Amino acid sequence: SRSFMMAWSAPCNQWLTKVSKLTQIDDKLKQLHDQCLVAILPSQNYAVKDGVVFWKGRVMLPDNEDIINQVLYEFHASK
């Protein structure tokens, strides 16, 4: 008998999951997040995907030193 196995691999940004969680406790981002969901926006440049607020396609980071440092490290560390 033959066995056939498949595995699926996709990149997972742990920092993005963290941004999503921190967005819910950041007053300004939570307000923008909620406004995006009900389409009451200060600008059409805002969007929400997977709980993360984007502005012109860029992730809006919560006011949290740890996540800011983590993102800076991830994108600016030598590889």
Side-chain angles (χ1 to χ4, degrees):
S1 97
R2 293 184 190 184
S3 293
F4 180 72
M5 295 185 192
M6 253 176 100
W8 178 264
S9 177
C12 176
N13 295 317
Q14 291 180 354
W15 64 267
L16 205 52
T17 302
K18 200 176 206 180
V19 168
S20 176
K21 290 177 183 175
L22 290 170
T23 293
Q24 298 304 311
I25 58 174
D26 182 287
D27 293 336
K28 291 179 184 177
L29 282 183
K30 175 69 172 142
Q31 183 179 9
L32 283 171
H33 175 276
D34 294 346
Q35 289 175 343
C36 284
L37 295 180
V38 294
I40 304 172
L41 302 170
S43 167
Q44 294 301 318
N45 294 315
Y46 292 99
V48 171
K49 182 177 180 187
D50 297 328
V52 177
V53 179
F54 290 82
W55 182 72
K56 292 187 174 182
R58 297 181 179 172
V59 174
M60 294 187 67
L61 295 176
D63 187 15
N64 178 285
E65 188 175 343
D66 290 337
I67 194 65
I68 291 169
N69 287 333
Q70 184 178 356
V71 170
L72 285 172
Y73 177 79
E74 293 263 344
F75 286 94
H76 295 286
S78 322
K79 303 237 177 191

